[in-house]
Amino acid sequence: MIDLRTAKDILIKYGQEHILRGYDDLPEDGKASLLSQIERMDISVLDNLDKEKNSNYHRGAFTPLGAVTVDDIEKNHDEYFSEGIEAIRAGKVAAVMLAGGQGTRLGYDKPKGMFNIGVNRELFIFECLINNLMEVVEKAGAWVPLYIMTSEKNHDDTVEFFREKNYFGYDAEHIVFFVQDMAPSVDRNGKIYMEASDRISMSPNGNGGWFSSMVRAGLLDSIKEKGIEWLNVFAVDNVLQRIADPLFVGAVIRSGMESGGKVVSKAAPDERVGVLCLEDGVPSIVEYYEMTEEMRTLLTEDGELAYKYGVILNYLFRTDRLEEILDSNMPVHIVSKKIPYMDENGSFTVPDAPNGYKFETLVLDMVHLQKSCLPYEVIREKEFAPVKNATGVDSVDSARELLAANGIEL
Ligand code: UTP
């Protein structure tokens, strides 16, 4: 572990010496814990507060990108299926669940996957996802390796829950948990918040760090040894998520592209969803707030929206390509959030409005580091039921309706 002198040097460089204000009065274990947090946190994210240094986040010229449509997929069903199921059977495909988020909008204080979406029976979000993956396992006659990314905040609860539920029938030998990295949270003046004299306010650093966190967790060697060529990364909170979908895998392999993204047709031009398109000729996702009115309403010759295909956080990446881009700079997004902190008088305060910033990298920015990406259209009502909020849009209520419409007993 670093010593006090080194910790001071790091903090002085970033103007954050206040972190050590209470250090001298801490017991020995508190001192050690604080030094270890200083060592572990990615303090370099603070550079991004400086607009001039944050030059890695500039946008190029966007152009529309079509997709393999639901009709195309139906026509090529058998071909895609056999290609995909063969790859799965040969152990070339693994799944990566992103479950490190804090789910603040849902307002549930446990890991989101532990939420019971059932009505008359227990049906947990994690259970829905495992059930979906089991369908593929049964078709392939082979287990799909499943990696689950947690955060320091929810790791123990998540692992314990899976153990308690006997992995919902999945083979525990094929499940690997790993923890994502943390980044500090700051106030409006860029000063890192403290939660207590011996605790820095830190949060999971966004879902973009999943592959580097896997590598840091020492998983790359075994991924290579097992011959895993494709990683299907997906969000924990879409209860209709199809994981390691043989058709998707087959379509991407057949296309010869180095990645793929599941997309849904936008419900309306102004729907708040990121759209898979091209940026300076390479794949990219344009966020809804980055689109001009002209882009939003632009039509193709067939009268369809040109920027039509919204992403649902389900991507297929090649392992070797991910390794190549491991050291690439990912843009760091600065997000305004409510951050609990220790105030001037030493009391712990939970704000009721955003009071500072968190730093996150996003998986969607990884798409831009790929030379090619196949947009693969799925039917929204069958594959997209995100649980973001307690009520209203993308909520527990809407997800329950969609589950029921798909014949899932609640
Ligand atoms: P969201 O962007 O919806 O974030 O995550 P969230 O933390 O779950 O929810 P809010 O914004 O606080 O309400 C999309 C996916 O990315 C994962 C989430 O678990 C979810 O599957 N994620 C997000 C991580 O794994 N790590 C992160 O740091 C952030």
Side-chain angles (χ1 to χ4, degrees):
M1 192 176 50
I2 54 171
D3 58 16
L4 182 59
R5 184 68 257 159
T6 315
K8 268 189 188 150
D9 288 347
I10 296 172
L11 297 178
I12 288 169
K13 186 168 161 218
Y14 285 92
Q16 305 289 342
E17 305 91 291
H18 65 284
I19 286 180
L20 290 170
R21 200 174 288 148
Y23 182 85
D24 290 341
D25 301 326
L26 290 174
E28 284 314 307
D29 57 347
K31 285 182 177 161
S33 160
L34 189 55
L35 291 180
S36 128
Q37 291 166 57
I38 295 168
E39 182 175 30
R40 270 185 359 251
M41 76 174 161
D42 180 6
I43 197 167
S44 69
V45 291
L46 300 186
D47 285 338
N48 296 284
L49 286 170
D50 184 337
K51 288 276 174 318
E52 272 162 37
K53 286 191 195 158
N54 194 7
S55 55
N56 66 352
Y57 197 60
H58 94 277
R59 295 301 235 167
F62 293 112
T63 43
L65 179 63
V68 181
T69 63
V70 171
D71 286 348
D72 298 332
I73 296 161
E74 211 169 287
K75 274 187 220 123
N76 298 304
H77 179 281
D78 294 354
E79 193 188 309
Y80 290 165
F81 184 82
S82 62
E83 182 88 49
I85 208 85
E86 270 318 310
I88 293 163
R89 205 168 278 145
K92 293 182 183 168
V93 183
V96 184
M97 185 194 293
L98 301 178
Q102 293 184 286
T104 38
R105 281 170 289 171
L106 182 60
Y108 176 65
D109 62 356
K110 301 226 181 68
K112 213 187 238 185
M114 285 173 62
F115 188 84
N116 177 16
I117 194 106
V119 179
N120 299 313
R121 63 165 183 141
E122 279 187 334
L123 179 67
F124 301 98
I125 290 181
F126 282 136
E127 188 176 5
C128 291
L129 299 174
I130 296 288
N131 289 348
N132 294 349
L133 184 55
M134 278 303 272
E135 287 179 23
V136 177
V137 169
E138 273 153 26
K139 282 185 194 149
W143 293 102
V144 176
L146 173 62
Y147 294 88
I148 300 181
M149 181 167 87
T150 62
S151 78
E152 279 181 22
K153 299 212 183 234
N154 70 15
H155 182 78
D156 293 348
D157 282 345
T158 305
V159 174
E160 183 49 37
F161 185 68
F162 267 93
R163 202 178 296 138
E164 190 186 301
K165 300 292 177 192
N166 207 10
Y167 304 88
F168 300 106
Y170 213 76
D171 183 354
E173 296 260 307
H174 292 94
I175 300 187
V176 178
F177 297 91
F178 67 101
V179 182
Q180 76 172 99
D181 301 329
M182 304 285 274
S185 311
V186 296
D187 67 15
R188 297 270 184 233
N189 299 315
K191 295 285 178 205
I192 296 176
Y193 274 122
M194 298 298 286
E195 288 176 353
S197 310
D198 63 351
R199 214 169 59 242
I200 299 171
S201 167
M202 285 199 264
S203 62
N205 64 350
N207 58 28
W210 64 275
F211 188 68
S212 55
S213 297
M214 278 180 105
V215 173
R216 214 175 338 268
L219 298 173
L220 190 56
D221 286 348
S222 78
I223 287 178
K224 285 187 185 167
E225 270 159 31
K226 287 183 188 157
I228 296 169
E229 292 179 9
W230 295 94
L231 292 176
N232 178 205
V233 61
F234 63 95
V236 69
D237 50 18
N238 171 10
V239 285
L240 286 179
Q241 189 89 258
R242 307 309 304 178
I243 305 152
D245 174 353
L247 287 169
F248 180 38
V249 173
V252 174
I253 294 178
R254 279 283 155 118
S255 74
M257 299 204 186
E258 57 180 39
S259 65
K262 282 200 168 184
V263 293
V264 292
S265 282
K266 275 171 64 166
D270 54 359
E271 188 182 351
R272 298 168 139 232
V273 62
V275 168
L276 191 45
C277 61
L278 294 175
E279 180 186 346
D280 294 338
V282 285
S284 186
I285 287 146
V286 57
E287 290 280 13
Y288 67 89
Y289 52 81
E290 294 176 312
M291 286 173 77
T292 59
E293 187 56 24
E294 196 193 338
M295 285 169 80
R296 261 184 229 124
T297 51
L298 186 70
L299 299 179
T300 63
E301 281 174 6
D302 306 333
E304 299 282 344
L305 287 177
Y307 292 92
K308 182 178 176 190
Y309 296 110
V311 286
I312 59 168
L313 217 174
N314 187 323
Y315 302 102
L316 197 61
F317 292 111
R318 283 193 65 93
T319 321
D320 53 2
R321 186 72 191 121
L322 289 170
E323 235 186 303
E324 277 170 28
I325 61 172
L326 194 56
D327 296 325
S328 308
N329 260 347
M330 298 260 291
V332 174
H333 298 254
I334 301 169
V335 205
S336 181
K337 293 257 181 177
K338 291 182 219 169
I339 302 160
Y341 66 103
M342 181 181 73
D343 66 18
E344 298 284 282
N345 310 318
S347 343
F348 188 67
T349 307
V350 181
D352 42 26
N355 60 333
Y357 305 106
K358 291 186 176 180
F359 300 88
E360 296 185 343
T361 58
L362 301 179
V363 64
L364 56 83
D365 287 315
M366 266 182 165
V367 171
H368 192 48
L369 298 171
Q370 310 290 319
K371 293 192 193 89
S372 54
C373 180
L374 181 75
Y376 176 96
E377 189 192 10
V378 298
I379 299 171
R380 175 190 293 258
E381 294 73 19
K382 290 196 176 158
E383 294 205 24
F384 192 44
V387 181
K388 298 286 182 194
N389 308 297
T391 53
V393 179
D394 295 344
S395 66
V396 174
D397 297 343
S398 59
R400 280 187 178 138
E401 272 171 35
L402 285 159
L403 282 169
N406 279 280
I408 293 160
E409 198 192 314
L410 296 171

